[in-house]
Amino acid sequence: MSVRRIRMGKLAGTERGIRISKPGYDALTTGPENLLLNATDKYSNLLKLGIVYGTTTVALGFGARPFVTVTAIGDLSSAPDIVWPPNMIGPLRPSPVWMVNHVGDQTAYAIVSADGSTMSIFTPVKVWYSVYSRITGA
Amino acid sequence: MGNINGSFGMRTTLPGFDARNDDPSDPTKFSFNTDWNDIVYIDRVGYVNPPSPVPNTDGPMPGSWIRAQPEFGIDGWDEINSPWLIPVVHGLPYRAYVEARASYPNGVIYDDYRRVMVASNGVNTTQTDHSCGNKAWSEVGYVKINTWEYTALTITGNTPSYSYTYYGHRVAFVIFRLPL
């Protein structure tokens, strides 16, 4: 028995969008692990990636507050007794860094405006940010 | 979209290319192809709130992990049943990759799970704000988010003493399905 691998329009419940499944799975009923494409209002898409250096306001231009994450690229170059290989960069965990007395406060956080027009990132270090399509009022 | 050369799926190209006839493995021509099996999918994003009322117990600490049976004096069973751990996904047939961030009202989001490492609070006291613990546990079948947060007031002197206040906080999470 064949299955319908492409479903488009009204899906389960109030969900709208497009689903395409792997061979042998019905696109309407199978789980997300068997979907090749899932473009619906329930799931999310990554809309914007970027890097800022220090405190910056990023223009978003949305009509509502989106979902964002920020990832600070901590800097331990001034910490004593640490050999810091050249070109070695990346997030430090936990963050902010624990050696605050040696490297200073490297806290990074973002405030997204209620109307979704801008995102202000506050940090003394480099920060990666991600903006997703899921709209939340929070 | 549809039956493309015998395979059901969807392909989208950059301007000037043919979605049916150009080489679909060429990323300089195609922007999406359901046949690509090496890309990451975003399963879902969302927020999770701490339990209410706030539990008067410790939550999972950084570095702790969940195990089915207590071993070597580390009680993983207590961790998995902590009221601070909020299940957000059930029935996943894979172990998800999860990003989690401490999140607060009015659109404020922090890197990782704590706001401040140490804040000075006078000459003889130190107040530490802990948005505490690994923020996400991801196992095959489920993802749980740790919402525990506390403030510890350390009163120093001949005999240091500590005072803890528990309060939860919201966590923002992103669940990814990796191409395994």
Side-chain angles (χ1 to χ4, degrees), chain A residues 66-126:
Chain A
F67 184 99
V68 305
T69 63
V70 292
T71 302
I73 309 303
D75 182 2
L76 298 182
S77 59
S78 61
D81 303 324
I82 290 182
V83 178
W84 193 247
N87 303 318
M88 180 180 172
I89 61 170
L92 297 172
R93 289 293 182 265
S95 176
V97 294
W98 66 101
M99 303 179 75
V100 62
N101 290 337
H102 297 292
V103 300
D105 183 8
Q106 298 188 5
T107 304
Y109 66 99
I111 300 178
V112 185
S113 63
D115 62 3
S117 61
T118 61
M119 169 176 61
S120 297
I121 297 175
F122 299 89
T123 177
V125 295
K126 183 165 69 176

Side-chain angles (χ1 to χ4, degrees), chain B residues 57-111:
Chain B
T57 59
D58 292 347
M61 291 291 289
S64 61
W65 65 93
I66 292 172
R67 288 185 292 190
Q69 298 291 332
E71 293 180 55
F72 306 115
I74 302 172
D75 193 348
W77 188 248
D78 285 347
E79 302 288 0
I80 197 172
N81 288 301
S82 167
W84 293 101
L85 278 184
I86 308 299
V88 295
V89 178
H90 293 289
L92 286 180
Y94 53 87
R95 177 180 292 186
Y97 176 86
V98 182
E99 290 272 14
R101 300 288 192 277
S103 175
Y104 297 87
N106 301 315
V108 180
I109 184 125
Y110 278 79
D111 180 29

Side-chain angles (χ1 to χ4, degrees), chain B residues 13-34:
Chain B
T13 66
L14 301 177
F17 298 103
D18 188 323
R20 174 177 289 276
N21 297 313
D22 279 327
D23 178 7
S25 66
D26 187 345
T28 65
K29 297 178 180 177
F30 280 75
S31 56
F32 183 75
N33 182 1
T34 47

Side-chain angles (χ1 to χ4, degrees), chain B residues 15-180:
Chain B
F17 298 103
D18 188 323
R20 174 177 289 276
N21 297 313
D22 279 327
D23 178 7
S25 66
D26 187 345
T28 65
K29 297 178 180 177
F30 280 75
S31 56
F32 183 75
N33 182 1
T34 47
D35 287 337
W36 289 341
N37 57 15
D38 57 352
I39 57 177
V40 175
Y41 287 84
I42 301 168
D43 190 299
R44 67 196 67 191
V45 302
Y47 296 103
V48 60
N49 290 310
S52 179
V54 171
N56 190 29
T57 59
D58 292 347
M61 291 291 289
S64 61
W65 65 93
I66 292 172
R67 288 185 292 190
Q69 298 291 332
E71 293 180 55
F72 306 115
I74 302 172
D75 193 348
W77 188 248
D78 285 347
E79 302 288 0
I80 197 172
N81 288 301
S82 167
W84 293 101
L85 278 184
I86 308 299
V88 295
V89 178
H90 293 289
L92 286 180
Y94 53 87
R95 177 180 292 186
Y97 176 86
V98 182
E99 290 272 14
R101 300 288 192 277
S103 175
Y104 297 87
N106 301 315
V108 180
I109 184 125
Y110 278 79
D111 180 29
D112 211 7
Y113 59 76
R114 59 190 184 192
R115 283 186 289 185
V116 181
M117 187 57 199
V118 175
S120 175
N121 188 30
V123 176
N124 294 318
T125 63
T126 300
Q127 183 170 322
T128 306
D129 185 350
H130 291 278
S131 173
C132 197
N134 302 339
K135 284 290 102 173
W137 272 260
S138 176
E139 297 290 340
V140 175
Y142 65 84
V143 173
K144 291 186 174 184
I145 301 291
N146 183 11
T147 61
W148 184 37
E149 184 173 22
Y150 70 86
T151 297
L153 183 65
T154 305
I155 303 169
T156 58
N158 292 332
T159 305
S161 61
Y162 303 90
S163 174
Y164 297 96
T165 301
Y166 294 146
Y167 57 101
H169 73 102
R170 190 178 61 180
V171 177
F173 64 88
V174 186
I175 297 177
F176 298 94
R177 175 161 55 99
L178 301 181
L180 301 177

Side-chain angles (χ1 to χ4, degrees), chain A residues 45-70:
Chain A
N45 293 306
L46 180 59
L47 299 180
K48 189 179 180 70
L49 287 172
I51 299 174
V52 297
Y53 298 83
T55 295
T56 307
T57 296
V58 178
L60 298 176
F62 299 139
R65 180 179 282 151
F67 184 99
V68 305
T69 63
V70 292

